[in-house]
Amino acid sequence: MITRDKDKILEVKSELMDKLKEENAFWSYDRQSVSLATINDADLIAMTMRYLDLPEIKQLFAIFPYKKIKDAWKNILVPEGSYLYTLNRFFAWYYFKAKNPDAYLKSLETRHINRMAQL
């Protein structure tokens, strides 16, 4: 169940940000310039999914709607294709209940490529 308590949401976001900094997820940034004020929710979601573990990813589902998490995953992590293939395959199966994760990822990647070609 998603919490509506703004203080709890801020607390979880702060915990995730601290853990991401510990994991050196912001290696290309000045560490002092990275904060909750400078990173949007989609990037926080994607970086948590990329760099942190299952307990932290579970926290995402406690503070963000399912659709927001899935959209961040589809728009940020899935387009990386083979680089994150195994991780994305797991997410497709475990969190997003894809019956055939390989085909699902392929279709998402193809859609992304087609959208980029139209720009």
Side-chain angles (χ1 to χ4, degrees):
M1 173 153 270
I2 298 174
T3 185
R4 299 283 183 222
D5 181 359
K6 291 181 182 182
D7 292 332
K8 179 65 176 170
I9 291 170
L10 185 59
E11 177 186 329
V12 171
K13 285 182 176 183
S14 295
E15 287 174 16
L16 293 173
M17 183 65 78
D18 290 343
K19 288 180 181 182
L20 286 166
K21 285 180 179 180
E22 286 175 24
E23 289 295 319
N24 205 24
F26 303 103
W27 60 270
S28 65
Y29 298 90
D30 175 27
R31 285 184 68 134
Q32 307 304 356
S33 70
V34 178
S35 68
L36 288 176
T38 60
I39 187 169
N40 64 40
D41 288 346
D43 288 331
L44 179 65
I45 292 166
M47 294 190 88
T48 299
M49 293 178 85
R50 178 191 303 242
Y51 293 109
L52 300 181
D53 291 321
L54 295 178
E56 290 82 19
I57 295 171
K58 184 177 180 180
Q59 287 182 299
L60 293 175
F61 288 92
I63 62 171
F64 293 115
Y66 175 86
K67 181 175 178 4
K68 189 170 194 169
I69 296 168
K70 189 172 183 178
D71 286 345
W73 170 70
K74 285 185 347 184
N75 295 328
I76 299 171
L77 298 178
V78 170
E80 294 195 34
S82 62
Y83 180 70
L84 294 179
Y85 184 76
T86 303
L87 186 64
N88 282 329
R89 190 172 185 271
F90 171 74
F91 291 149
W93 169 76
Y94 189 77
Y95 290 111
F96 305 118
K97 308 301 182 217
K99 292 189 185 344
N100 186 343
D102 296 316
Y104 183 60
L105 281 176
K106 181 69 175 163
S107 71
L108 291 176
E109 290 171 12
T110 301
R111 269 188 244 154
H112 175 77
I113 291 168
N114 289 341
R115 260 184 285 160
M116 298 308 292
Q118 291 175 350
L119 294 178

